[in-house]
Amino acid sequence: MVFIPSGYFFFIKHIKGNLLKILLLLIVVFILTSGGHKGLVTFFIIFALLFSGIQFNFKYILIGFFAISGMLIIYTISKGKEFNKETFVYLLESPPRRFFVTQGSGFITRISMKRRNLYKGDIYEYQVIKKETFQEIYPGYNEKGAAPTIFLGDLHVRYGYMFTIISYILFLIIVFPIIKGTDNMPDRRLYLWWNLFILFFLLGMAEISYSSSLRILLALFNFIAILTIPYLKLNTIEKP
C-alpha cells in the first residue's frame, strides 16, 4: 500500500525498455491485488494515469482497458471464484458501486443511526461501528461485512457533530499547506505524491483504529525518508 507503489514511481523513471516497464507495472498490480483489495489497485491506476503527465490517446485507453481487465481477473482468482455468468455480473456491478456509492452511504447511514440511537454495541470498540453500519445498509445479508467511510463518520458517532466539525476544520488547516507545497513542486515526484495520496485514501476509506494509524505512520515515515535521504552526506572511509 505504501512502499510498493512509491518504489514503482521512483524506479520507473530509470527504466528504459517498455517491456520492463509493463512487467514492473504488472508485478505491482499483482502484489496490490493479491491482498484482496481491488479498490486500492483501482486508485493506484487512476493516480498513475492522472498524474503521469501523459497525453491520452487510443493506445493508453487500450492499455487501461487491459490493465483493468487483468486486475479483475487476478482479483477473481485470489477470491477463489469461478468464471461464470454470476461472477461476470458481479465484476461489472461491484467496482462502480464501491467506487461511487459505498463510502458515501456509509457516512450518511452513520449519521442516521446516531440520530435514531440504533448502535447496540460499544461504539468505542474496534470495528463495532462499521459492522453494525453494514448490517443497517444490507439488512438480512447473511455474510459478515463492514461499511467503512471517511474518518469523520466514526468521530460523529462517538463524539457528536460539534467535535466532528472542529476536527474537519483542523484537518483542512493542516492539509491545505501540504497540498499547496506539493502543487508548487518544480517536477513530478510521484514517489512522494503517492504517500500523500495514500494518507488521504486511508483517512477517507478506513476507520480510526490501531491498524489504520500504523499505516498512516508508515506513509509519513516513507515520505520523510525519501524526502531527506538524497540530501544526506555520508562520510567516506579512506583506505590506509
Side-chain angles (χ1 to χ4, degrees), residues 164-199:
T164 306
I165 293 174
I166 294 173
S167 300
Y168 186 54
I169 293 174
L170 292 176
F171 171 74
L172 293 179
I173 292 175
I174 296 172
V175 163
F176 280 157
I178 297 176
I179 295 176
K180 182 179 179 181
T182 305
D183 194 41
N184 290 333
M185 284 183 177
D187 55 350
R188 295 177 180 272
R189 302 181 185 179
L190 299 188
Y191 56 94
L192 285 175
W193 295 7
W194 173 261
N195 287 264
L196 297 177
F197 178 83
I198 203 65
L199 283 175

Side-chain angles (χ1 to χ4, degrees), residues 50-217:
L50 290 181
F51 294 99
S52 61
I54 62 175
Q55 298 294 326
F56 287 97
N57 53 38
F58 178 75
K59 180 179 70 174
Y60 289 109
I61 293 176
L62 191 62
I63 293 174
F65 172 77
F66 283 110
I68 294 173
S69 300
M71 177 191 69
L72 294 176
I73 292 174
I74 295 173
Y75 173 78
T76 304
I77 295 174
S78 66
K79 286 293 186 179
K81 294 180 178 292
E82 297 181 358
F83 287 98
N84 50 36
K85 181 179 179 181
E86 182 180 352
T87 302
F88 181 74
V89 172
Y90 170 79
L91 291 176
L92 291 179
E93 178 269 340
S94 179
R97 172 173 54 82
R98 290 174 179 267
F99 187 83
F100 293 106
V101 179
T102 302
Q103 305 304 125
S105 63
F107 185 70
I108 295 172
T109 306
R110 278 168 169 78
I111 297 176
S112 176
M113 293 181 66
K114 173 68 174 180
R115 290 181 176 178
R116 294 182 291 158
N117 296 318
L118 295 182
Y119 287 104
K120 300 176 182 178
D122 186 354
I123 57 176
Y124 297 96
E125 290 185 2
Y126 176 62
Q127 291 191 343
V128 168
I129 296 177
K130 68 178 186 179
K131 286 184 177 180
E132 292 193 19
T133 305
F134 176 85
Q135 293 298 327
E136 179 71 14
I137 296 176
Y138 303 100
Y141 195 66
N142 295 327
E143 296 184 19
K144 294 182 180 180
T149 190
I150 186 172
F151 72 102
L152 297 171
D154 286 7
L155 292 180
H156 175 78
V157 174
R158 292 172 178 170
Y159 307 110
Y161 68 92
M162 283 302 300
F163 185 86
T164 306
I165 293 174
I166 294 173
S167 300
Y168 186 54
I169 293 174
L170 292 176
F171 171 74
L172 293 179
I173 292 175
I174 296 172
V175 163
F176 280 157
I178 297 176
I179 295 176
K180 182 179 179 181
T182 305
D183 194 41
N184 290 333
M185 284 183 177
D187 55 350
R188 295 177 180 272
R189 302 181 185 179
L190 299 188
Y191 56 94
L192 285 175
W193 295 7
W194 173 261
N195 287 264
L196 297 177
F197 178 83
I198 203 65
L199 283 175
F200 296 132
F201 175 87
L202 290 169
L203 291 171
M205 304 281 285
E207 76 287 347
I208 301 174
S209 64
Y210 170 77
S211 58
S212 298
S213 301
L214 182 60
R215 295 187 186 101
I216 291 174
L217 288 175

